[in-house]
Amino acid sequence: MKKEIQIKKEFKKKQFQLVRGMKDILPEEQKYWLHIEDLVRRLADKYSFQRIGMPIVENTELFKRSVGTATDIVEKEMYSFFDKGNENISLRPEFTAGIARAYIEHGMLNLPQPVKLYALGPCFRYDKPQAGRYRQFNQINFEIIGEADAICDAQVILVAYQLYQQINLQVVIQINSIGCPDCRPEYENVLKDYLKKYRSKLSEVSGKRLSKNPLRILDSKEKDDQEIVKDAPQQVDYLCEGCREHFIQVLEYLDELEIPYALNSKVVRGLDYYTRTTFEIWPVEGEDGRMVELGGGGRYDGLAELIGGRPTPAVGFASGVERLVSLIKERKAPVKEPESLDIFLAQLGIEARKRAITLFEELYEADIKVTEGLARRGLKAQLELANKLGVKYTLILGQKELIDGTIMIRDMEGGIQEVVDAKKVILEVKKRLEKARVNVNELNKVSAIGPT
Ligand code: HAM
């Protein structure tokens, strides 16, 4: 009994902290997120992508079949569990498999093709947390499903490129083709033969991948592996006619669009469903010299069939939002600031507070950017808050004003206070705000002309 009380006491004292690998997105960071979400919505509108939302959980088997059992994501990183109905489900580690599942399940095959979809939201991977790598992170996804033409690969890359451009981030598309089930086996054999010569020097992980997934050795992060694969044979030299033609067309479209790209035979991606085009988006090296990819994608013509659908070509990309936000901050790229507030509504006394509640609604409905200090008691505290928020005017409603049918308007810059008729307060506020706006415009004009 004593022990139980002791545990209860300790539990009460315990200060909880974030689960490892997770991240709070605090109010001061929200402007970056809103800015990015806004850009994504506008790009989606421009290129006719429709938003889709899927559950965070899917059947574990869906990811096994699509992402692949021999990948890090499925082997080590999935949050998988049995629910109370004994169903094996997983928190989504990515969107593409779920989007393909939804496309098949809802018969989108019968819609005019291609179907263009985009999605935003959290994904989960139980990875080692480090800079730019979280266990819960957010992705932006754009997918074009139901069309094999290379123009779709180019359009998806264009959308990705524009996303980064509009955040003032210089990026280069690292692009490759990993062929198709017809031409890849030959290349895999050539690659295996090459790698076998260095078997004893390969890292432990790459040694294991040699027989099952040799392509992944090409993008190993281990220094020794990187040295070995430097001179490895390249898939582009082993593409079949169809894949070569497709790749050339994608590159020609990128040339036409003047999108900077670099051919990179090591971009094979960490998911098994890719065919033909694969690409990653890398920032042009910053001062810190870090080189972590911002996003990646590619074509996945075989995925629908793998999960029970009809053959359906598709291409898409995803970008991590946390990585975008941290780069925007690091490079001080401009973002849309939250709208500034014009008016603070202060009150003194219970009766004034009652009136202030409804007056706030009236001001808001009149399109005035207003905030309030309804939960605060003293006038001093409310004026301090108003100052902090940088409003132009504070409306003060006290007992006396209530009896007189007036309201006090305080100019926060000069500290001048005027009493106005309460019935005309909206008009009076609008008049003053308009005058302040005209003054600012005049000032801007003078500073644009410069000293005479
Ligand atoms: P992915 O390369 O695995 O591709 O992930 C895409 C992006 O998600 C990465 O480039 C990165 O920005 C972000 N990301 C991935 N893991 C983490 C993490 N642990 N912490 C923070 N950010 C992370 C895919 O997921 C494919 N589904 C992309 C795709 C769409 N392919 C075709 N369509």
Side-chain angles (χ1 to χ4, degrees), residues 29-39 41 336:
E29 219 180 59
Q30 293 293 342
K31 65 176 178 188
Y32 301 105
W33 289 75
L34 287 175
H35 186 75
I36 292 168
E37 282 164 19
D38 209 35
L39 280 178
R41 258 194 302 275
K336 200 168 128 198

Side-chain angles (χ1 to χ4, degrees), residues 132-164:
R133 199 169 289 282
Y134 300 97
R135 289 181 176 169
Q136 176 175 337
F137 59 98
N138 287 269
Q139 270 192 357
I140 299 162
N141 263 260
F142 282 86
E143 315 284 352
I144 304 184
I145 310 178
E147 177 55 64
D149 198 285
I151 191 84
C152 296
D153 307 41
Q155 193 174 61
V156 152
I157 294 173
L158 174 66
V159 174
Y161 184 65
Q162 292 203 350
L163 175 67
Y164 301 107

Side-chain angles (χ1 to χ4, degrees), residues 79-358:
Y79 281 84
S80 301
F81 55 96
F82 287 90
D83 68 7
K84 291 197 170 84
N86 217 22
E87 199 161 340
N88 190 353
I89 55 179
S90 295
L91 304 186
R92 65 176 172 223
E94 58 111 49
F95 275 87
T96 313
I99 293 179
R101 193 248 329 122
Y103 173 94
I104 298 164
E105 192 168 346
H106 299 288
M108 292 189 216
L109 191 71
N110 300 316
L111 299 174
Q113 304 292 304
V115 175
K116 292 170 152 189
L117 300 169
Y118 82 101
L120 287 172
C123 297
F124 302 81
R125 294 184 192 175
Y126 193 84
D127 202 352
K128 198 171 153 208
Q130 49 190 285
R133 199 169 289 282
Y134 300 97
R135 289 181 176 169
Q136 176 175 337
F137 59 98
N138 287 269
Q139 270 192 357
I140 299 162
N141 263 260
F142 282 86
E143 315 284 352
I144 304 184
I145 310 178
E147 177 55 64
D149 198 285
I151 191 84
C152 296
D153 307 41
Q155 193 174 61
V156 152
I157 294 173
L158 174 66
V159 174
Y161 184 65
Q162 292 203 350
L163 175 67
Y164 301 107
Q165 278 243 304
Q166 287 177 19
I167 317 179
N168 273 8
L169 298 176
Q170 296 309 312
V171 295
V172 174
I173 313 296
Q174 305 286 323
I175 193 166
N176 189 23
S177 173
I178 58 165
C180 66
D182 286 340
C183 56
R184 201 181 307 149
E186 187 199 346
Y187 171 64
E188 278 178 336
N189 284 335
V190 175
L191 182 63
K192 270 187 208 165
D193 287 344
Y194 170 84
L195 291 170
K196 271 181 199 158
K197 289 189 272 178
Y198 303 94
R199 191 196 290 266
S200 61
K201 290 192 182 134
L202 284 173
S203 67
E204 200 187 323
V205 185
S206 291
K208 280 187 194 151
R209 281 186 171 146
L210 192 52
S211 58
K212 270 206 233 160
N213 203 351
L215 240 59
R216 282 309 308 280
I217 300 176
L218 294 173
D219 77 346
S220 162
K221 303 288 174 279
E222 300 292 328
K223 277 235 151 56
D224 289 347
D225 294 342
Q226 286 177 348
E227 215 30 61
I228 295 167
V229 299
K230 243 190 205 160
D231 299 320
Q234 301 189 1
Q235 170 85 65
V236 284
D237 296 324
Y238 293 85
L239 294 177
C240 60
E241 195 49 40
C243 288
R244 188 177 313 121
E245 186 60 27
H246 185 92
F247 195 40
I248 290 170
Q249 278 179 17
V250 175
L251 299 182
E252 281 176 356
Y253 286 128
L254 296 186
D255 287 335
E256 198 66 33
L257 291 161
E258 296 184 5
I259 293 177
Y261 64 84
L263 297 180
N264 186 338
S265 60
K266 312 295 180 294
V267 173
V268 291
R269 318 277 298 124
L271 305 98
D272 277 359
Y273 50 60
Y274 289 112
T275 46
R276 296 193 162 173
T277 318
T278 49
F279 63 91
E280 286 181 356
I281 297 114
W282 289 10
V284 170
E285 205 168 335
E287 281 159 29
D288 56 359
R290 245 185 328 126
M291 205 36 129
V292 57
E293 101 275 2
L294 291 172
R299 186 158 270 290
Y300 50 96
D301 294 345
L303 174 58
E305 259 181 299
L306 283 176
I307 58 171
R310 286 201 235 148
T312 312
V315 60
F317 90 96
S319 181
V321 184
E322 285 76 4
R323 290 184 190 178
L324 271 179
V325 169
S326 87
L327 219 68
I328 292 177
K329 283 184 180 169
E330 208 175 280
R331 309 247 165 120
K332 298 191 173 59
V335 295
K336 200 168 128 198
E337 293 293 332
E339 278 200 348
S340 59
L341 292 160
D342 288 332
I343 301 292
F344 186 91
L345 178 57
Q347 42 65 43
L348 264 180
I350 180 80
E351 291 306 318
R353 198 172 307 145
K354 274 188 200 157
R355 171 70 190 111
I357 290 184
T358 50

Side-chain angles (χ1 to χ4, degrees), residues 343-403:
I343 301 292
F344 186 91
L345 178 57
Q347 42 65 43
L348 264 180
I350 180 80
E351 291 306 318
R353 198 172 307 145
K354 274 188 200 157
R355 171 70 190 111
I357 290 184
T358 50
L359 180 57
F360 174 84
E361 299 297 320
E362 291 160 25
L363 289 161
Y364 181 84
E365 289 306 319
D367 259 349
I368 292 169
K369 293 187 193 92
V370 57
T371 184
E372 39 76 21
L374 287 171
R376 296 194 176 216
R377 297 288 145 109
L379 185 59
K380 192 166 167 251
Q382 293 184 68
L383 287 177
E384 271 170 15
L385 178 59
N387 245 331
K388 229 185 196 170
L389 295 171
V391 296
K392 295 187 184 75
Y393 297 97
T394 296
L395 300 182
I396 305 168
L397 186 62
Q399 198 62 21
K400 184 174 180 317
E401 286 78 17
L402 212 59
I403 294 167

